[in-house]
Amino acid sequence: FFTTHDAVVRALDAMTGELVWETSVADYRAGYYMTMAPLVASGKVMVGASGGERGIRGFVAAYDPDTGAEVWRSHTVPGPGEPGNETWPGDTWQTGGASIWITGSYDPELNLTYWGTGNPGPWIGDQRPGDNLYTNSVVAFDADTGELKGYHQYHHNGSWDWDEVSAPILIDIQRNGRTIKSLVHPARNGYLWTLERTADAINFVEAQPYVDQNVFRSLDPLTGRPEYDQERKPGTNKPATFCPSLWGGKDWPPAAYNPQTGYLYIPANENLCSTMVGTEIEYVPGSGFTGASSQVFVVDNADHLGEIQAWDMSTGEQVWTHEFAESQNWGPILTTAGGLVFSGGTNDRYFRAFNAETGELLWEQRTNSGVTGVPSSYAIDGVQYIAVQSGWGVDAQGMQRAVNAHFDREDIVPQGGVIWVFALRD
């Protein structure tokens, strides 16, 4: 099962490659497209659509794996009569965004699927006053019916391009003598969130910044709702400067959790901030609907940019950090039962292995390009392999322009597109 850029989900016979079925999920001419791998769980093939920057109305849809027939569809922006629609003024819900960019996660005990949602549309909050549910949130849907069973909004009335698209990681945390069935999310807004998943709600546990963050003045201790520094909130014709940048403390590259160490590993970016200003914009189907212009910059006297952080989830404390002095980090994390952390993501094109307990660099190999691919591991005939795609572009390349400006040079990272496979023998 896979999705296409013109918003179609397809099923191929894995043995022959024959097309078994294909189903159009949404109209690509209206700005919908798909970038994610389907989630197959509870006898369903579940997908979501991207396009919040083009004024779509986000959703998750489930399909029959044998026929491609749609089983249910649940929107991430509520319409009239649905809970949360009151947080959208007028008809703004119709172009409200809340894209699903990345595959969700699944709890088989609760039979719930969890999805991270993206920005409201347009980007600037004073053009759509209200909390704008369920943008920049985690939402929980019943895998059989699509019923909304819970949500947590990481920040309301989003105005910073902080899409919270990564699905939270499902972890059982031992904290203060009890087990918390948690959802953990190192957010683009720069906070590390710990939430609790239950059958009919998502509860706030705690959150703390893992990079410099100057927008939130405080969090409500019961709900986690942030209070904003309004001087750090961009408006229409009102520029504002804020940290972290619009790409966030961590963007789409996934974090990883190792149950043996109890550590969460975050590919983070520090000392990068943005200035953004809003402009009036009218919705045109299929066209850009951001209504904002922005610039990313490196703060003065920054001593490093990218990081890999390790957090002990039983204590909520950071235990080690590996810093990259002159490179951002766009490297997805893989951690293994052998006590290793694999990641690329830097502009020097290296793929690396670290000691999962201490953060010590153990091994590195330079590749043809920057590694923004997700590492994977498999074994054949007793030999374990690590595979990763080396390829650079889009946001990592865009951030490189800010890095080049800071260091007053023109470093170019080749775009690449090569799969590398490594093996450890004897």
Side-chain angles (χ1 to χ4, degrees):
F1 305 101
F2 67 99
T3 63
T4 67
H5 202 68
D6 57 351
V8 172
V9 60
R10 289 188 169 97
L12 302 182
D13 186 301
M15 298 300 294
T16 67
E18 178 186 359
L19 178 65
V20 179
W21 56 258
E22 62 179 356
T23 300
S24 178
V25 176
D27 184 357
Y28 70 90
R29 293 166 295 188
Y32 291 87
Y33 61 98
M34 303 177 79
T35 61
M36 56 167 290
L39 172 66
V40 180
S42 191
K44 313 289 189 302
V45 177
M46 287 168 271
V47 299
S50 303
E53 77 284 13
R54 300 176 184 171
I56 70 156
R57 182 188 178 202
F59 62 86
V60 175
Y63 297 89
D64 185 295
D66 296 319
T67 67
E70 185 171 305
V71 179
W72 55 258
R73 178 175 297 223
S74 297
H75 284 92
T76 51
V77 176
E82 297 177 325
N85 178 256
E86 70 280 0
T87 66
W88 293 91
D91 292 333
T92 57
W93 61 272
Q94 295 181 353
T95 54
S99 297
I100 303 292
W101 292 80
I102 293 176
T103 309
S105 50
Y106 176 63
D107 184 333
E109 293 182 4
L110 298 176
N111 197 35
L112 297 180
T113 63
Y114 297 92
W115 305 81
T117 67
N119 275 342
W123 281 1
I124 302 302
D126 61 18
Q127 298 184 31
R128 37 167 175 75
D131 283 3
N132 309 135
L133 295 173
Y134 300 96
T135 63
N136 300 321
S137 302
V138 52
V139 289
F141 293 119
D142 184 290
D144 291 334
T145 67
E147 179 185 357
L148 180 69
K149 303 295 286 187
Y151 75 93
H152 176 84
Q153 189 171 51
Y154 299 110
H155 52 275
H156 54 280
N157 193 240
S159 302
W160 303 270
D161 189 25
W162 286 335
D163 295 88
E164 299 301 352
V165 297
S166 296
I169 302 174
L170 279 57
I171 303 172
D172 290 349
I173 296 175
Q174 303 299 321
R175 186 77 62 87
N176 299 325
R178 75 181 185 100
T179 300
I180 301 174
K181 309 287 285 188
S182 71
L183 299 159
V184 174
H185 176 61
R188 196 155 156 178
N189 65 29
Y191 271 62
L192 174 58
W193 299 82
T194 301
L195 310 172
E196 183 177 27
R197 62 191 195 273
T198 70
D200 55 7
I202 296 175
N203 301 319
F204 173 71
V205 177
E206 67 174 20
Q208 56 184 311
Y210 65 94
V211 295
D212 179 47
Q213 213 269 25
N214 60 15
V215 174
F216 296 177
R217 288 185 180 274
S218 63
L219 298 182
D220 184 290
L222 296 179
T223 67
R225 181 184 176 90
E227 177 190 353
Y228 298 147
D229 180 346
Q230 295 298 324
E231 294 301 313
R232 302 290 184 182
K233 186 179 182 183
T236 303
N237 301 316
K238 171 189 170 266
T241 297
F242 55 89
C243 306
S245 78
L246 60 84
W247 280 304
K250 185 195 79 68
D251 204 289
W252 68 265
Y257 175 72
N258 190 315
Q260 293 180 335
T261 62
Y263 295 170
L264 176 77
Y265 304 95
I266 305 173
N269 284 300
E270 183 67 283
N271 295 316
L272 286 148
C273 303
S274 284
T275 298
M276 182 182 292
V277 62
T279 57
E280 295 284 354
I281 189 169
E282 293 186 7
Y283 171 70
V284 177
S287 299
F289 192 57
T290 62
S293 59
S294 61
Q295 182 179 6
V296 177
F297 63 92
V298 179
V299 301
D300 293 337
N301 303 314
D303 60 354
H304 72 284
L305 300 177
E307 299 180 346
I308 297 177
Q309 302 178 4
W311 287 75
D312 187 333
M313 295 309 300
S314 66
T315 64
E317 297 179 348
Q318 190 172 341
V319 289
W320 61 257
T321 302
H322 183 95
E323 298 177 352
F324 301 102
E326 297 186 357
S327 178
Q328 66 275 42
N329 183 12
W330 282 82
I333 303 287
L334 167 70
T335 183
T336 71
L340 300 176
V341 169
F342 289 93
S343 185
T346 50
N347 58 21
D348 56 14
R349 314 201 310 266
Y350 277 98
F351 183 55
R352 300 178 172 92
F354 301 87
N355 183 304
E357 285 277 2
T358 67
E360 176 190 1
L361 176 63
L362 302 177
W363 168 88
E364 59 184 0
Q365 169 67 51
R366 201 172 200 196
T367 69
N368 58 290
S369 179
V371 179
T372 60
V374 181
S376 59
S377 179
Y378 58 94
I380 298 175
D381 296 332
V383 178
Q384 188 169 3
Y385 298 86
I386 302 291
V388 71
Q389 180 172 314
S390 177
W392 191 260
V394 195
D395 293 328
Q397 182 171 304
M399 190 180 283
Q400 187 62 43
R401 290 192 285 270
V403 174
N404 284 344
H406 179 76
F407 290 111
D408 192 24
R409 59 194 188 209
E410 288 298 324
D411 289 346
I412 297 175
V413 182
Q415 286 201 336
V418 175
I419 294 177
W420 292 68
V421 180
F422 304 93
L424 183 65
R425 301 177 187 276
D426 297 332

